[in-house]
Amino acid sequence: MKIKEMQKLLNAEILTKQGDLDKDVRSACGSDMMSDVLAYVKDQAVLLTGLVNMQVIRTAEMMDMVCVVFVRGKKPADEIIELAESKGIVVMSSQFRMYDACGILYSAGLRKGE
């Protein structure tokens, strides 16, 4: 699935000015605990979270993620978006709750890393 397809499925607003929306992603995870993402997540390309702080982008960078989706309509501060842009990470915001957003992506064929 391409990032732009995820954006349509989640009716999400793209918050970054730069980023490759044609990049393929094959897996995703949803968590508000970045320590769990660092400890348990392997080979995930997309992070869905309701946590809005710099650590989200730092975690995504460390895990080589290409996209962060903030759920429940949350929007990060400009400096968070700027950091994501500097790291080549696409950031978007969706009104869906995390459970629903994960379900939509799963139903569309996006699975956890194998």
PDB file of all heavy atoms in Angstrom, residues 17-57:
ATOM      1  N   LYS A  17       5.166  19.209   4.390  1.00  0.00           N
ATOM      2  CA  LYS A  17       5.189  19.760   3.032  1.00  0.00           C
ATOM      3  C   LYS A  17       5.958  18.859   2.086  1.00  0.00           C
ATOM      4  O   LYS A  17       5.752  18.888   0.893  1.00  0.00           O
ATOM      5  CB  LYS A  17       5.829  21.150   3.051  1.00  0.00           C
ATOM      6  CG  LYS A  17       5.043  22.157   3.826  1.00  0.00           C
ATOM      7  CD  LYS A  17       5.770  23.479   3.884  1.00  0.00           C
ATOM      8  CE  LYS A  17       5.013  24.433   4.774  1.00  0.00           C
ATOM      9  NZ  LYS A  17       5.841  25.004   5.816  1.00  0.00           N
ATOM     10  N   GLN A  18       6.864  18.074   2.652  1.00  0.00           N
ATOM     11  CA  GLN A  18       7.699  17.199   1.846  1.00  0.00           C
ATOM     12  C   GLN A  18       7.446  15.757   2.260  1.00  0.00           C
ATOM     13  O   GLN A  18       6.917  15.493   3.323  1.00  0.00           O
ATOM     14  CB  GLN A  18       9.173  17.533   2.053  1.00  0.00           C
ATOM     15  CG  GLN A  18       9.503  18.973   1.738  1.00  0.00           C
ATOM     16  CD  GLN A  18      10.906  19.334   2.186  1.00  0.00           C
ATOM     17  OE1 GLN A  18      11.670  18.485   2.607  1.00  0.00           O
ATOM     18  NE2 GLN A  18      11.235  20.603   2.097  1.00  0.00           N
ATOM     19  N   GLY A  19       7.841  14.854   1.421  1.00  0.00           N
ATOM     20  CA  GLY A  19       7.700  13.438   1.732  1.00  0.00           C
ATOM     21  C   GLY A  19       7.194  12.683   0.531  1.00  0.00           C
ATOM     22  O   GLY A  19       6.440  13.231  -0.276  1.00  0.00           O
ATOM     23  N   ASP A  20       7.591  11.452   0.438  1.00  0.00           N
ATOM     24  CA  ASP A  20       7.247  10.621  -0.710  1.00  0.00           C
ATOM     25  C   ASP A  20       5.943   9.884  -0.443  1.00  0.00           C
ATOM     26  O   ASP A  20       5.930   8.841   0.206  1.00  0.00           O
ATOM     27  CB  ASP A  20       8.388   9.640  -0.982  1.00  0.00           C
ATOM     28  CG  ASP A  20       8.171   8.833  -2.246  1.00  0.00           C
ATOM     29  OD1 ASP A  20       7.125   9.028  -2.913  1.00  0.00           O
ATOM     30  OD2 ASP A  20       9.045   8.007  -2.567  1.00  0.00           O
ATOM     31  N   LEU A  21       4.852  10.415  -0.964  1.00  0.00           N
ATOM     32  CA  LEU A  21       3.538   9.800  -0.769  1.00  0.00           C
ATOM     33  C   LEU A  21       3.369   8.549  -1.627  1.00  0.00           C
ATOM     34  O   LEU A  21       2.421   7.799  -1.430  1.00  0.00           O
ATOM     35  CB  LEU A  21       2.426  10.798  -1.074  1.00  0.00           C
ATOM     36  CG  LEU A  21       2.402  12.064  -0.220  1.00  0.00           C
ATOM     37  CD1 LEU A  21       1.229  12.949  -0.620  1.00  0.00           C
ATOM     38  CD2 LEU A  21       2.368  11.753   1.252  1.00  0.00           C
ATOM     39  N   ASP A  22       4.282   8.319  -2.559  1.00  0.00           N
ATOM     40  CA  ASP A  22       4.228   7.124  -3.399  1.00  0.00           C
ATOM     41  C   ASP A  22       5.053   5.976  -2.814  1.00  0.00           C
ATOM     42  O   ASP A  22       5.165   4.921  -3.433  1.00  0.00           O
ATOM     43  CB  ASP A  22       4.728   7.441  -4.813  1.00  0.00           C
ATOM     44  CG  ASP A  22       3.698   8.242  -5.591  1.00  0.00           C
ATOM     45  OD1 ASP A  22       2.499   7.931  -5.490  1.00  0.00           O
ATOM     46  OD2 ASP A  22       4.097   9.187  -6.291  1.00  0.00           O
ATOM     47  N   LYS A  23       5.610   6.179  -1.640  1.00  0.00           N
ATOM     48  CA  LYS A  23       6.416   5.133  -1.001  1.00  0.00           C
ATOM     49  C   LYS A  23       5.504   3.984  -0.576  1.00  0.00           C
ATOM     50  O   LYS A  23       4.423   4.194  -0.038  1.00  0.00           O
ATOM     51  CB  LYS A  23       7.153   5.695   0.202  1.00  0.00           C
ATOM     52  CG  LYS A  23       8.166   4.736   0.780  1.00  0.00           C
ATOM     53  CD  LYS A  23       9.074   5.453   1.741  1.00  0.00           C
ATOM     54  CE  LYS A  23      10.164   6.097   0.905  1.00  0.00           C
ATOM     55  NZ  LYS A  23      11.286   6.575   1.660  1.00  0.00           N
ATOM     56  N   ASP A  24       5.952   2.768  -0.842  1.00  0.00           N
ATOM     57  CA  ASP A  24       5.199   1.579  -0.434  1.00  0.00           C
ATOM     58  C   ASP A  24       5.436   1.284   1.035  1.00  0.00           C
ATOM     59  O   ASP A  24       6.564   1.372   1.523  1.00  0.00           O
ATOM     60  CB  ASP A  24       5.637   0.357  -1.254  1.00  0.00           C
ATOM     61  CG  ASP A  24       5.062   0.374  -2.653  1.00  0.00           C
ATOM     62  OD1 ASP A  24       3.870   0.677  -2.803  1.00  0.00           O
ATOM     63  OD2 ASP A  24       5.811   0.087  -3.599  1.00  0.00           O
ATOM     64  N   VAL A  25       4.357   0.924   1.717  1.00  0.00           N
ATOM     65  CA  VAL A  25       4.453   0.458   3.101  1.00  0.00           C
ATOM     66  C   VAL A  25       3.730  -0.870   3.195  1.00  0.00           C
ATOM     67  O   VAL A  25       2.720  -1.094   2.542  1.00  0.00           O
ATOM     68  CB  VAL A  25       3.881   1.488   4.099  1.00  0.00           C
ATOM     69  CG1 VAL A  25       4.719   2.739   4.129  1.00  0.00           C
ATOM     70  CG2 VAL A  25       2.442   1.837   3.786  1.00  0.00           C
ATOM     71  N   ARG A  26       4.277  -1.761   3.992  1.00  0.00           N
ATOM     72  CA  ARG A  26       3.703  -3.102   4.106  1.00  0.00           C
ATOM     73  C   ARG A  26       3.265  -3.436   5.525  1.00  0.00           C
ATOM     74  O   ARG A  26       2.692  -4.491   5.759  1.00  0.00           O
ATOM     75  CB  ARG A  26       4.719  -4.138   3.635  1.00  0.00           C
ATOM     76  CG  ARG A  26       4.956  -4.082   2.137  1.00  0.00           C
ATOM     77  CD  ARG A  26       5.851  -5.229   1.687  1.00  0.00           C
ATOM     78  NE  ARG A  26       5.870  -5.349   0.239  1.00  0.00           N
ATOM     79  CZ  ARG A  26       6.579  -4.591  -0.582  1.00  0.00           C
ATOM     80  NH1 ARG A  26       7.307  -3.624  -0.096  1.00  0.00           N
ATOM     81  NH2 ARG A  26       6.545  -4.783  -1.885  1.00  0.00           N
ATOM     82  N   SER A  27       3.562  -2.532   6.472  1.00  0.00           N
ATOM     83  CA  SER A  27       3.240  -2.840   7.853  1.00  0.00           C
ATOM     84  C   SER A  27       3.032  -1.562   8.653  1.00  0.00           C
ATOM     85  O   SER A  27       3.452  -0.483   8.244  1.00  0.00           O
ATOM     86  CB  SER A  27       4.369  -3.668   8.472  1.00  0.00           C
ATOM     87  OG  SER A  27       5.579  -2.948   8.393  1.00  0.00           O
ATOM     88  N   ALA A  28       2.368  -1.711   9.797  1.00  0.00           N
ATOM     89  CA  ALA A  28       2.093  -0.572  10.659  1.00  0.00           C
ATOM     90  C   ALA A  28       1.950  -1.056  12.095  1.00  0.00           C
ATOM     91  O   ALA A  28       1.751  -2.242  12.352  1.00  0.00           O
ATOM     92  CB  ALA A  28       0.812   0.130  10.206  1.00  0.00           C
ATOM     93  N   CYS A  29       2.045  -0.111  13.021  1.00  0.00           N
ATOM     94  CA  CYS A  29       1.767  -0.415  14.419  1.00  0.00           C
ATOM     95  C   CYS A  29       1.061   0.782  15.036  1.00  0.00           C
ATOM     96  O   CYS A  29       1.188   1.903  14.550  1.00  0.00           O
ATOM     97  CB  CYS A  29       3.046  -0.745  15.187  1.00  0.00           C
ATOM     98  SG  CYS A  29       4.148   0.646  15.438  1.00  0.00           S
ATOM     99  N   GLY A  30       0.327   0.531  16.091  1.00  0.00           N
ATOM    100  CA  GLY A  30      -0.369   1.592  16.814  1.00  0.00           C
ATOM    101  C   GLY A  30       0.016   1.552  18.277  1.00  0.00           C
ATOM    102  O   GLY A  30      -0.135   0.513  18.919  1.00  0.00           O
ATOM    103  N   SER A  31       0.520   2.669  18.802  1.00  0.00           N
ATOM    104  CA  SER A  31       0.902   2.715  20.206  1.00  0.00           C
ATOM    105  C   SER A  31       1.072   4.156  20.658  1.00  0.00           C
ATOM    106  O   SER A  31       1.507   5.012  19.889  1.00  0.00           O
ATOM    107  CB  SER A  31       2.208   1.954  20.438  1.00  0.00           C
ATOM    108  OG  SER A  31       2.551   1.970  21.801  1.00  0.00           O
ATOM    109  N   ASP A  32       0.741   4.394  21.930  1.00  0.00           N
ATOM    110  CA  ASP A  32       1.029   5.684  22.554  1.00  0.00           C
ATOM    111  C   ASP A  32       2.248   5.593  23.467  1.00  0.00           C
ATOM    112  O   ASP A  32       2.668   6.587  24.024  1.00  0.00           O
ATOM    113  CB  ASP A  32      -0.173   6.168  23.369  1.00  0.00           C
ATOM    114  CG  ASP A  32      -1.314   6.641  22.488  1.00  0.00           C
ATOM    115  OD1 ASP A  32      -1.083   6.924  21.297  1.00  0.00           O
ATOM    116  OD2 ASP A  32      -2.444   6.736  22.991  1.00  0.00           O
ATOM    117  N   MET A  33       2.793   4.403  23.599  1.00  0.00           N
ATOM    118  CA  MET A  33       3.963   4.204  24.452  1.00  0.00           C
ATOM    119  C   MET A  33       5.193   3.963  23.575  1.00  0.00           C
ATOM    120  O   MET A  33       5.362   2.878  23.016  1.00  0.00           O
ATOM    121  CB  MET A  33       3.737   3.033  25.405  1.00  0.00           C
ATOM    122  CG  MET A  33       2.627   3.311  26.392  1.00  0.00           C
ATOM    123  SD  MET A  33       2.482   2.036  27.645  1.00  0.00           S
ATOM    124  CE  MET A  33       4.063   2.159  28.439  1.00  0.00           C
ATOM    125  N   MET A  34       6.026   4.980  23.459  1.00  0.00           N
ATOM    126  CA  MET A  34       7.188   4.873  22.588  1.00  0.00           C
ATOM    127  C   MET A  34       8.180   3.830  23.099  1.00  0.00           C
ATOM    128  O   MET A  34       8.885   3.206  22.305  1.00  0.00           O
ATOM    129  CB  MET A  34       7.875   6.236  22.432  1.00  0.00           C
ATOM    130  CG  MET A  34       7.000   7.284  21.737  1.00  0.00           C
ATOM    131  SD  MET A  34       6.407   6.796  20.102  1.00  0.00           S
ATOM    132  CE  MET A  34       4.691   6.389  20.438  1.00  0.00           C
ATOM    133  N   SER A  35       8.193   3.575  24.399  1.00  0.00           N
ATOM    134  CA  SER A  35       9.077   2.527  24.924  1.00  0.00           C
ATOM    135  C   SER A  35       8.657   1.157  24.387  1.00  0.00           C
ATOM    136  O   SER A  35       9.513   0.314  24.091  1.00  0.00           O
ATOM    137  CB  SER A  35       9.073   2.514  26.454  1.00  0.00           C
ATOM    138  OG  SER A  35       7.757   2.318  26.954  1.00  0.00           O
ATOM    139  N   ASP A  36       7.354   0.926  24.237  1.00  0.00           N
ATOM    140  CA  ASP A  36       6.881  -0.336  23.651  1.00  0.00           C
ATOM    141  C   ASP A  36       7.259  -0.418  22.177  1.00  0.00           C
ATOM    142  O   ASP A  36       7.610  -1.483  21.689  1.00  0.00           O
ATOM    143  CB  ASP A  36       5.366  -0.488  23.805  1.00  0.00           C
ATOM    144  CG  ASP A  36       4.959  -0.929  25.195  1.00  0.00           C
ATOM    145  OD1 ASP A  36       5.855  -1.244  26.016  1.00  0.00           O
ATOM    146  OD2 ASP A  36       3.746  -0.961  25.460  1.00  0.00           O
ATOM    147  N   VAL A  37       7.163   0.690  21.478  1.00  0.00           N
ATOM    148  CA  VAL A  37       7.533   0.702  20.062  1.00  0.00           C
ATOM    149  C   VAL A  37       9.003   0.322  19.928  1.00  0.00           C
ATOM    150  O   VAL A  37       9.372  -0.520  19.114  1.00  0.00           O
ATOM    151  CB  VAL A  37       7.255   2.081  19.418  1.00  0.00           C
ATOM    152  CG1 VAL A  37       7.782   2.135  17.991  1.00  0.00           C
ATOM    153  CG2 VAL A  37       5.762   2.399  19.450  1.00  0.00           C
ATOM    154  N   LEU A  38       9.845   0.911  20.761  1.00  0.00           N
ATOM    155  CA  LEU A  38      11.280   0.612  20.703  1.00  0.00           C
ATOM    156  C   LEU A  38      11.582  -0.824  21.118  1.00  0.00           C
ATOM    157  O   LEU A  38      12.475  -1.458  20.557  1.00  0.00           O
ATOM    158  CB  LEU A  38      12.059   1.580  21.600  1.00  0.00           C
ATOM    159  CG  LEU A  38      12.126   3.018  21.096  1.00  0.00           C
ATOM    160  CD1 LEU A  38      12.675   3.929  22.184  1.00  0.00           C
ATOM    161  CD2 LEU A  38      12.955   3.121  19.836  1.00  0.00           C
ATOM    162  N   ALA A  39      10.842  -1.351  22.072  1.00  0.00           N
ATOM    163  CA  ALA A  39      11.132  -2.676  22.609  1.00  0.00           C
ATOM    164  C   ALA A  39      10.557  -3.815  21.774  1.00  0.00           C
ATOM    165  O   ALA A  39      11.173  -4.871  21.656  1.00  0.00           O
ATOM    166  CB  ALA A  39      10.613  -2.785  24.038  1.00  0.00           C
ATOM    167  N   TYR A  40       9.388  -3.611  21.194  1.00  0.00           N
ATOM    168  CA  TYR A  40       8.679  -4.734  20.595  1.00  0.00           C
ATOM    169  C   TYR A  40       8.426  -4.636  19.101  1.00  0.00           C
ATOM    170  O   TYR A  40       8.074  -5.611  18.463  1.00  0.00           O
ATOM    171  CB  TYR A  40       7.327  -4.932  21.290  1.00  0.00           C
ATOM    172  CG  TYR A  40       7.476  -5.209  22.758  1.00  0.00           C
ATOM    173  CD1 TYR A  40       7.090  -4.281  23.702  1.00  0.00           C
ATOM    174  CD2 TYR A  40       8.028  -6.407  23.197  1.00  0.00           C
ATOM    175  CE1 TYR A  40       7.243  -4.535  25.057  1.00  0.00           C
ATOM    176  CE2 TYR A  40       8.189  -6.668  24.546  1.00  0.00           C
ATOM    177  CZ  TYR A  40       7.784  -5.722  25.477  1.00  0.00           C
ATOM    178  OH  TYR A  40       7.945  -5.978  26.802  1.00  0.00           O
ATOM    179  N   VAL A  41       8.550  -3.467  18.540  1.00  0.00           N
ATOM    180  CA  VAL A  41       8.194  -3.283  17.136  1.00  0.00           C
ATOM    181  C   VAL A  41       9.402  -3.557  16.251  1.00  0.00           C
ATOM    182  O   VAL A  41      10.485  -3.039  16.490  1.00  0.00           O
ATOM    183  CB  VAL A  41       7.655  -1.853  16.897  1.00  0.00           C
ATOM    184  CG1 VAL A  41       7.463  -1.592  15.428  1.00  0.00           C
ATOM    185  CG2 VAL A  41       6.355  -1.657  17.651  1.00  0.00           C
ATOM    186  N   LYS A  42       9.183  -4.384  15.251  1.00  0.00           N
ATOM    187  CA  LYS A  42      10.231  -4.684  14.278  1.00  0.00           C
ATOM    188  C   LYS A  42       9.643  -4.526  12.878  1.00  0.00           C
ATOM    189  O   LYS A  42       8.527  -4.943  12.608  1.00  0.00           O
ATOM    190  CB  LYS A  42      10.735  -6.126  14.437  1.00  0.00           C
ATOM    191  CG  LYS A  42      11.266  -6.448  15.814  1.00  0.00           C
ATOM    192  CD  LYS A  42      12.579  -5.746  16.082  1.00  0.00           C
ATOM    193  CE  LYS A  42      13.137  -6.156  17.425  1.00  0.00           C
ATOM    194  NZ  LYS A  42      13.139  -5.122  18.405  1.00  0.00           N
ATOM    195  N   ASP A  43      10.396  -3.922  11.987  1.00  0.00           N
ATOM    196  CA  ASP A  43      10.028  -3.824  10.573  1.00  0.00           C
ATOM    197  C   ASP A  43       8.661  -3.190  10.338  1.00  0.00           C
ATOM    198  O   ASP A  43       7.881  -3.665   9.518  1.00  0.00           O
ATOM    199  CB  ASP A  43      10.078  -5.211   9.914  1.00  0.00           C
ATOM    200  CG  ASP A  43      11.451  -5.837  10.023  1.00  0.00           C
ATOM    201  OD1 ASP A  43      12.440  -5.085   9.899  1.00  0.00           O
ATOM    202  OD2 ASP A  43      11.529  -7.049  10.245  1.00  0.00           O
ATOM    203  N   GLN A  44       8.374  -2.135  11.063  1.00  0.00           N
ATOM    204  CA  GLN A  44       7.128  -1.408  10.842  1.00  0.00           C
ATOM    205  C   GLN A  44       7.451  -0.138  10.060  1.00  0.00           C
ATOM    206  O   GLN A  44       8.441   0.531  10.331  1.00  0.00           O
ATOM    207  CB  GLN A  44       6.457  -1.048  12.172  1.00  0.00           C
ATOM    208  CG  GLN A  44       6.212  -2.232  13.078  1.00  0.00           C
ATOM    209  CD  GLN A  44       5.220  -3.219  12.524  1.00  0.00           C
ATOM    210  OE1 GLN A  44       4.145  -2.839  12.081  1.00  0.00           O
ATOM    211  NE2 GLN A  44       5.567  -4.485  12.532  1.00  0.00           N
ATOM    212  N   ALA A  45       6.616   0.189   9.119  1.00  0.00           N
ATOM    213  CA  ALA A  45       6.866   1.370   8.294  1.00  0.00           C
ATOM    214  C   ALA A  45       6.054   2.577   8.729  1.00  0.00           C
ATOM    215  O   ALA A  45       6.408   3.704   8.454  1.00  0.00           O
ATOM    216  CB  ALA A  45       6.558   1.048   6.833  1.00  0.00           C
ATOM    217  N   VAL A  46       4.940   2.329   9.435  1.00  0.00           N
ATOM    218  CA  VAL A  46       4.021   3.397   9.806  1.00  0.00           C
ATOM    219  C   VAL A  46       3.699   3.283  11.294  1.00  0.00           C
ATOM    220  O   VAL A  46       3.442   2.189  11.802  1.00  0.00           O
ATOM    221  CB  VAL A  46       2.710   3.303   8.992  1.00  0.00           C
ATOM    222  CG1 VAL A  46       1.741   4.393   9.404  1.00  0.00           C
ATOM    223  CG2 VAL A  46       3.003   3.378   7.503  1.00  0.00           C
ATOM    224  N   LEU A  47       3.689   4.427  11.969  1.00  0.00           N
ATOM    225  CA  LEU A  47       3.312   4.481  13.372  1.00  0.00           C
ATOM    226  C   LEU A  47       2.035   5.289  13.510  1.00  0.00           C
ATOM    227  O   LEU A  47       1.966   6.429  13.051  1.00  0.00           O
ATOM    228  CB  LEU A  47       4.430   5.128  14.198  1.00  0.00           C
ATOM    229  CG  LEU A  47       4.124   5.415  15.669  1.00  0.00           C
ATOM    230  CD1 LEU A  47       3.808   4.128  16.431  1.00  0.00           C
ATOM    231  CD2 LEU A  47       5.286   6.161  16.314  1.00  0.00           C
ATOM    232  N   LEU A  48       1.023   4.699  14.123  1.00  0.00           N
ATOM    233  CA  LEU A  48      -0.209   5.409  14.459  1.00  0.00           C
ATOM    234  C   LEU A  48      -0.180   5.678  15.950  1.00  0.00           C
ATOM    235  O   LEU A  48       0.073   4.765  16.746  1.00  0.00           O
ATOM    236  CB  LEU A  48      -1.442   4.571  14.115  1.00  0.00           C
ATOM    237  CG  LEU A  48      -1.691   4.359  12.629  1.00  0.00           C
ATOM    238  CD1 LEU A  48      -1.031   3.087  12.149  1.00  0.00           C
ATOM    239  CD2 LEU A  48      -3.164   4.334  12.336  1.00  0.00           C
ATOM    240  N   THR A  49      -0.423   6.925  16.348  1.00  0.00           N
ATOM    241  CA  THR A  49      -0.328   7.280  17.756  1.00  0.00           C
ATOM    242  C   THR A  49      -1.196   8.495  18.076  1.00  0.00           C
ATOM    243  O   THR A  49      -1.515   9.291  17.200  1.00  0.00           O
ATOM    244  CB  THR A  49       1.143   7.556  18.155  1.00  0.00           C
ATOM    245  OG1 THR A  49       1.219   7.732  19.568  1.00  0.00           O
ATOM    246  CG2 THR A  49       1.715   8.767  17.443  1.00  0.00           C
ATOM    247  N   GLY A  50      -1.544   8.605  19.338  1.00  0.00           N
ATOM    248  CA  GLY A  50      -2.236   9.777  19.842  1.00  0.00           C
ATOM    249  C   GLY A  50      -1.309  10.655  20.659  1.00  0.00           C
ATOM    250  O   GLY A  50      -1.699  11.714  21.139  1.00  0.00           O
ATOM    251  N   LEU A  51      -0.075  10.212  20.828  1.00  0.00           N
ATOM    252  CA  LEU A  51       0.926  10.967  21.577  1.00  0.00           C
ATOM    253  C   LEU A  51       1.534  12.023  20.663  1.00  0.00           C
ATOM    254  O   LEU A  51       2.014  11.698  19.576  1.00  0.00           O
ATOM    255  CB  LEU A  51       2.008  10.011  22.083  1.00  0.00           C
ATOM    256  CG  LEU A  51       3.104  10.604  22.953  1.00  0.00           C
ATOM    257  CD1 LEU A  51       2.519  11.120  24.258  1.00  0.00           C
ATOM    258  CD2 LEU A  51       4.175   9.560  23.213  1.00  0.00           C
ATOM    259  N   VAL A  52       1.525  13.255  21.110  1.00  0.00           N
ATOM    260  CA  VAL A  52       2.021  14.355  20.271  1.00  0.00           C
ATOM    261  C   VAL A  52       3.202  15.031  20.970  1.00  0.00           C
ATOM    262  O   VAL A  52       3.027  15.952  21.762  1.00  0.00           O
ATOM    263  CB  VAL A  52       0.898  15.380  19.988  1.00  0.00           C
ATOM    264  CG1 VAL A  52       1.395  16.493  19.079  1.00  0.00           C
ATOM    265  CG2 VAL A  52      -0.306  14.703  19.372  1.00  0.00           C
ATOM    266  N   ASN A  53       4.401  14.509  20.682  1.00  0.00           N
ATOM    267  CA  ASN A  53       5.610  15.168  21.167  1.00  0.00           C
ATOM    268  C   ASN A  53       6.790  14.773  20.278  1.00  0.00           C
ATOM    269  O   ASN A  53       6.656  13.932  19.396  1.00  0.00           O
ATOM    270  CB  ASN A  53       5.873  14.870  22.649  1.00  0.00           C
ATOM    271  CG  ASN A  53       6.155  13.420  22.933  1.00  0.00           C
ATOM    272  OD1 ASN A  53       6.763  12.713  22.129  1.00  0.00           O
ATOM    273  ND2 ASN A  53       5.719  12.961  24.101  1.00  0.00           N
ATOM    274  N   MET A  54       7.939  15.379  20.543  1.00  0.00           N
ATOM    275  CA  MET A  54       9.135  15.143  19.727  1.00  0.00           C
ATOM    276  C   MET A  54       9.580  13.688  19.750  1.00  0.00           C
ATOM    277  O   MET A  54      10.140  13.198  18.774  1.00  0.00           O
ATOM    278  CB  MET A  54      10.309  15.990  20.219  1.00  0.00           C
ATOM    279  CG  MET A  54      10.239  17.423  19.830  1.00  0.00           C
ATOM    280  SD  MET A  54      10.498  17.695  18.085  1.00  0.00           S
ATOM    281  CE  MET A  54      10.874  19.413  18.165  1.00  0.00           C
ATOM    282  N   GLN A  55       9.334  13.004  20.867  1.00  0.00           N
ATOM    283  CA  GLN A  55       9.784  11.621  20.988  1.00  0.00           C
ATOM    284  C   GLN A  55       9.148  10.715  19.945  1.00  0.00           C
ATOM    285  O   GLN A  55       9.738   9.718  19.550  1.00  0.00           O
ATOM    286  CB  GLN A  55       9.517  11.090  22.397  1.00  0.00           C
ATOM    287  CG  GLN A  55      10.392  11.725  23.458  1.00  0.00           C
ATOM    288  CD  GLN A  55      11.862  11.712  23.097  1.00  0.00           C
ATOM    289  OE1 GLN A  55      12.460  12.753  22.860  1.00  0.00           O
ATOM    290  NE2 GLN A  55      12.470  10.545  23.032  1.00  0.00           N
ATOM    291  N   VAL A  56       7.971  11.059  19.483  1.00  0.00           N
ATOM    292  CA  VAL A  56       7.311  10.254  18.451  1.00  0.00           C
ATOM    293  C   VAL A  56       8.156  10.259  17.179  1.00  0.00           C
ATOM    294  O   VAL A  56       8.414   9.207  16.585  1.00  0.00           O
ATOM    295  CB  VAL A  56       5.883  10.778  18.170  1.00  0.00           C
ATOM    296  CG1 VAL A  56       5.279  10.093  16.956  1.00  0.00           C
ATOM    297  CG2 VAL A  56       5.006  10.590  19.398  1.00  0.00           C
ATOM    298  N   ILE A  57       8.606  11.429  16.776  1.00  0.00           N
ATOM    299  CA  ILE A  57       9.414  11.532  15.557  1.00  0.00           C
ATOM    300  C   ILE A  57      10.783  10.900  15.779  1.00  0.00           C
ATOM    301  O   ILE A  57      11.298  10.190  14.905  1.00  0.00           O
ATOM    302  CB  ILE A  57       9.548  12.999  15.100  1.00  0.00           C
ATOM    303  CG1 ILE A  57       8.158  13.627  14.888  1.00  0.00           C
ATOM    304  CG2 ILE A  57      10.404  13.094  13.839  1.00  0.00           C
ATOM    305  CD1 ILE A  57       7.264  12.887  13.899  1.00  0.00           C
TER     306      ILE A  57
END
